[in-house]
Amino acid sequence: MFMLEKAIGGGRRYWIWIFSLLAVIGWGFSFYLRQFSYGLGITGLSRNITWGVYIGQFTFLVGVAASAVMVVLPYYLHNHKEFSRMAILGEFLAISSVTMCMLFIFVDMGQPTRVLNVMLYPTLHSMMFWDMVSLGGYLALNAVIALVTLNAERKGVAPPGWIKPIIVLSIPWAISIHTVTAFLYSGLPGRPFWLTAILAPRFLASAFASGPALLILLCMLLRKLTGYDVGSKAIKGLAVIVTYAMIANVFFLLMEMFTSFYSQIPSLVEHFQNMYTGMDGGSSPLLSWGRSSLVLMAVALFLLLIPRVRGNSRTLAVACAITFLSLWIDKGVCLVVCGFMPSPLGIMTSYVPTLAELSIAAAVWAIGALMITGFYKIALAVREDAFVIPTADTITPSPVAK
Amino acid sequence: MRDRGVIYTGLLVFLGIITFPMWHDWAAGTTSRGPDPVLPAQEKQCVAPLSTMRTSHMQLLMDWRDGVVRRNVHTYTAFNGRNFNMSLTGTCLTGCHTNKADFCDRCHNYAGVAVYCWDCHVDPKLARRSAK
Amino acid sequence: MKISRKDFLRLSGLSLLAVVGKKAIGALAGKGAQSAAALPAVRVTTRWAMVIDPAKCLKEEGCTKCISACHKAHNVPTINDPRHEVKWIWKEPFENAFASQESAYTEAALQGKPVMVFCNHCDNPPCVRVCPTQATWKREDGIVMMDWHRCIGCRYCMAACPYGSRSFNWFDPRPYISELNPDYPTRTKGVVEKCTFCEERLAKGQAPLCVEACPEKALVFGNLADPKSEVRRLLDARFSIRRKPELGTHPEVFYLV
C-alpha cells in the first residue's frame, strides 16, 4: 500500500539505524507519558519562559519544511532539469519536517486531549488557527504531490496533468507557512524582541539557508550510502541558493542589531544585549549561545562565499553543516527563549531544559529521521526499479506533462 | 490443512482474550450486581425528569457550564417551573446528592467512565474533610 | 464493482476530509451569521474597571489581605517556586510594574514600593486576539473571561500578555491548596488562569473580594460607563496612570498618582 513495502528490507546497517531510531523514540515516549500524566512541570519552562525547546524546534522545522520550495520552484516553474533527481527528496523532507512541527506543537500542549478544540471553535483572529490551517494544507499538498509523481515514475509514465496546478499552489503555500509562523510572534504587542516587520523575511531567509543545507547533506549521505547520485550540478545549484539565503539572513540580522543598538530603546536593546553583548550588571543566560551562533554564521558565510569551497564536496559539506548548526542555534534555541528574557515585568529568568524535555524533543526528531529514511528508501527503490528497463526518458524523469 | 491445530489454538487464545472481562467479573462475582446508586433523601424530583437525567445529565451539565461560564446566565428554570442556580457543587452536590461517592461515583465506576469534572470541581464533603 | 484496497483507503480518506471540511465551513458560516445578528450596536451600559490608590495601599506595610482573600476564595495554589507559581493578584515593585515611568529620581514615596497588580481586563486585549479556541474572550461588560474547560494550554495568551498577568498550571495544583473552597472550582494541570474581576460575585451583585478585603479602601471598583460612578468621580478628580498605555491595549485598571 502506498509503496510502503519498499521501505521494508535493507542491509544490516539499515536495520541498526532503524532500531536505534526506534529506541530513541521509545525512550522519549516514556518521558512523554510522564509529561502527559504529571504536566508540563517536568520541563524547564516557567511562568516567565512559557515556550522553550518544543516551540523553538517547531519554528526551526517550519523553515526546513518551507525550504523544499527552493528545489520545487526552480524545477517545476523554471524547468531547471538538474534538480530532477532531487525534487522528490525535497518534498519528502518537507513532509517529514511538517510532521515534526505538528508533533512539537502537540507535545507543547498543556491539555493535549483538547487540541481539536482549535478546529471545533475556529478562531479567525488567532494566528495559531492559521498556522494550523497552513501547516495541515502544506502537509496534504506535499503528500499528494510526492505520492502522485512517484507513482507515475514507478509506472514509467508522466505524472497526470492535474498535479501541475497543485505543485504551483504548493510554492506560495510554502512561503505562507513560514510567514504565518513568523506572525505568531511578530504581532504580539508586549514582546519587543519579536515585534519587528523583518521577522517574517528573516525567517524565510534563514529557512532557505538551513533547509537546503540539510538537503545537500542528505544528498551527499545518500550518495555515500546507496550510490544514488543527485548530480553535482544539482548540489552546486543548491549551494548557491544556500549562499544567497545566508547573505540575506545575516544582512537582516545586522539590520535588526543596528535598529536596536543605535536607537537604544531599552525594551529593544535588552534582548540583543542578552544574546550578544551581555547586560551590564545583570545575567545574560543566552550569551554563549548567541555568540556561538554569530561566530558560526560568520564562518559559514565566509566558507560559502569562496567558490572553491563550494565546489569541493567535502568542504561544502563542512560549510553546510556549520550553516545548519548556526541557524539551528539562532532559531531553534535563541529566538523563542530570548523573547521571554526579560519578562514583561523586567525579570530575567534562566531556562535550562530538563532531561525529559530533551528526550521528548529527541524522540520527535527521531520520528522525523525515521520518516525521511523510509521515504528516501521508497523513492530510491522506485528509481532503481525504473533502472531495470533502461529507457532513455525514465532515467531522468521529466517534470510534468504539459 | 496441516495448520489446523495452530489455527484452532490461535482462535481459542483470541476468544479467551476478548472475553477476559466477562470471566474476570464472573470470578469476582460482580456481574449480577448493578451500580445501585443511593438516591437522595431530601429531594424527590431532579431538575429534569428521571429518564432525561439518566440519558442526558452530561449534556445538561455541559449546557449549565456553557451558560454560566460563557453566557453569564446563572438560573435554570426546570420543566416544572422551579428555578435552580446552575452549579454542580452548589446545587447538585449540596442540595441533593450530598454523597457523591454513593451516587455519581457508583454509576461512573460501574460503567467504567472516568469523568474529568472532579479534576477541578470540588466535592463539598471532601473539602470539609480537608479543612478539619 | 470491484474496489481495490488502495482505492478504498483513498476514498475513505477523501470522505473523512469532506466531513471535516463541511464541519469547518458550517462552523465558520454559523459564526458569520451570529456576528451579523449582533450588528445593531448595543450601547455599552456596563464597563467594569478598577481604580487603585497606591498611597492608601502603602499605609499598612506588609498587608496582604486582598491577596489572601482572593487566593483563598478562588482556590489559587501556594507554590513557592517562582518558576511554577500561580497568582491572580500580587505585589510588584513600582519600577517593574511601570517600567517606562521609572527614573533615578522617581518620587521616593514610590521607589521600590510595591504596587498591586492583576489582570488589567484590557479593552483591547492581546490575549483574546491570540487565543486559538476562544477559551479567553472579552465579555460585553469588559471582563476578560476564561473558560478553563476549553483551554488547550498552548500558552499563547501568556506570550501575548504585556503585563505578565497570566499563570499556567505546570502540574495538578490541588496538593498546593491548603484549604479547598468547594464553592469555586480548582484548576486542572495544563490550563492558564488569571483574575476574573470576581465575575462569580458580580453575578450576585457583590464587589470583587480584593475590594472588600482592603481595610484602607485603596481599591475602588465600578462601572466606567456610568458617569456618576465612584470610579468616574475619582478619575475626574485626580491624575491617573495605566500600565503600558502605549501598546494600545487600554487597560481598565487605573492607578491614582
Side-chain angles (χ1 to χ4, degrees), chain C:
Chain C
M1 192 178 80
K2 209 171 157 234
I3 288 186
S4 76
R5 189 172 44 174
K6 190 196 261 175
D7 284 338
F8 172 74
L9 283 169
R10 267 190 199 147
L11 271 178
S12 38
L14 276 179
S15 356
L16 196 72
L17 270 181
V19 170
V20 172
K22 190 176 170 281
K23 278 244 167 201
I25 290 167
L28 290 178
K31 246 178 72 81
Q34 227 173 42
S35 54
L39 259 186
V42 191
R43 208 171 60 90
V44 178
T45 51
T46 316
R47 188 65 189 81
W48 296 119
M50 189 83 85
V51 176
I52 301 175
D53 190 336
K56 273 188 184 173
C57 178
L58 288 170
K59 267 190 192 160
E60 201 182 315
E61 216 173 306
C63 171
T64 53
K65 290 202 175 92
C66 57
I67 303 177
S68 52
C70 167
H71 285 189
K72 214 173 134 189
H74 296 120
N75 289 323
V76 176
T78 313
I79 300 167
N80 291 323
D81 182 357
R83 295 187 329 126
H84 293 149
E85 72 184 333
V86 176
K87 44 193 183 182
W88 284 26
I89 173 169
W90 72 97
K91 290 178 181 178
E92 195 66 46
F94 176 81
E95 50 275 31
N96 287 1
F98 290 92
S100 48
Q101 309 270 345
E102 164 269 348
S103 87
Y105 310 102
T106 304
E107 212 186 334
L110 289 171
Q111 186 86 49
K113 292 282 161 54
V115 185
M116 299 313 304
V117 294
F118 41 91
C119 173
N120 278 306
H121 294 275
C122 303
D123 202 24
N124 184 14
C127 55
V128 168
R129 211 178 305 147
V130 302
C131 178
T133 59
Q134 295 151 52
T136 192
W137 73 100
K138 202 183 95 182
R139 299 198 329 190
E140 264 175 33
D141 57 5
I143 291 181
V144 175
M145 203 25 204
M146 277 220 65
D147 186 346
W148 294 305
H149 306 96
R150 192 182 281 188
C151 174
I152 58 172
C154 68
R155 310 188 295 295
Y156 198 7
C157 56
M158 295 179 79
C161 176
Y163 308 101
S165 296
R166 290 173 164 267
S167 306
F168 183 69
N169 286 280
W170 296 98
F171 33 71
D172 181 16
R174 281 216 182 162
Y176 299 88
I177 305 170
S178 53
E179 216 173 293
L180 280 174
N181 170 20
D183 299 326
Y184 202 78
T186 67
R187 264 67 60 197
T188 179
K189 63 166 187 280
V191 298
V192 173
E193 62 181 271
K194 65 167 196 77
C195 155
T196 63
F197 261 173
C198 280
E199 59 83 31
E200 80 284 359
R201 287 172 59 86
L202 292 178
K204 290 186 272 183
Q206 296 163 324
L209 263 172
C210 51
V211 174
E212 210 161 76
C214 180
E216 301 292 340
K217 302 269 166 278
L219 301 140
V220 178
F221 184 78
N223 180 6
L224 275 187
D226 172 11
K228 289 197 241 10
S229 64
E230 201 186 346
V231 281
R232 282 289 290 273
R233 197 183 51 74
L234 278 169
L235 294 177
D236 281 346
R238 292 176 60 183
F239 182 65
S240 64
I241 53 174
R242 295 190 287 180
R243 295 173 67 195
K244 303 190 182 174
E246 70 276 12
L247 298 180
T249 55
H250 298 290
E252 298 294 22
V253 175
F254 299 79
Y255 295 83
L256 296 175
V257 182

Side-chain angles (χ1 to χ4, degrees), chain A residues 100-265:
Chain A
M100 282 191 260
C101 292
M102 289 174 157
L103 286 172
F104 271 118
I105 289 280
F106 186 78
V107 297
D108 190 65
M109 293 289 125
Q111 282 284 334
T113 52
R114 299 182 189 166
V115 75
L116 290 179
N117 278 357
V118 180
M119 278 184 251
L120 218 51
Y121 309 104
T123 308
L124 303 187
H125 50 70
S126 171
M127 281 303 127
M128 204 169 275
F129 169 75
W130 289 110
D131 211 40
M132 190 207 66
V133 170
S134 62
L135 283 180
Y138 191 63
L139 181 62
L141 283 178
N142 273 288
V144 168
I145 294 169
L147 194 71
V148 168
T149 49
L150 201 61
N151 220 344
E153 208 173 299
R154 189 181 56 158
K155 290 177 185 152
V157 295
W162 58 264
I163 199 74
K164 178 100 189 190
I166 294 187
I167 291 171
V168 172
L169 176 66
S170 84
I171 292 168
W173 204 292
I175 311 283
S176 87
I177 62 167
H178 217 24
T179 307
V180 176
T181 305
F183 285 176
L184 279 180
Y185 300 99
S186 65
L188 304 180
R191 306 280 174 185
F193 181 58
W194 300 328
L195 189 73
T196 160
I198 211 165
L199 199 69
R202 204 183 132 205
F203 268 26
L204 287 166
S206 69
F208 295 158
S210 58
L214 178 63
L215 193 55
I216 289 177
L217 291 172
L218 287 174
C219 289
M220 288 177 171
L221 201 64
L222 272 188
R223 188 167 57 194
K224 207 165 168 219
L225 293 175
T226 68
Y228 179 83
D229 193 358
V230 295
S232 58
K233 266 193 177 170
I235 298 232
K236 263 185 204 153
L238 209 52
V240 171
I241 290 174
V242 172
T243 310
Y244 276 112
M246 194 61 177
I247 293 170
N249 173 62
V250 170
F251 178 60
F252 290 161
L253 180 61
L254 290 175
M255 283 164 74
E256 284 250 64
M257 284 199 209
F258 171 79
T259 306
S260 52
F261 282 116
Y262 196 79
S263 72
Q264 296 181 20
I265 298 173

Side-chain angles (χ1 to χ4, degrees), chain A residues 43-55:
Chain A
T43 66
L45 298 168
S46 60
R47 194 179 187 280
N48 283 340
I49 299 182
T50 48
W51 285 342
V53 167
Y54 299 152
I55 297 297

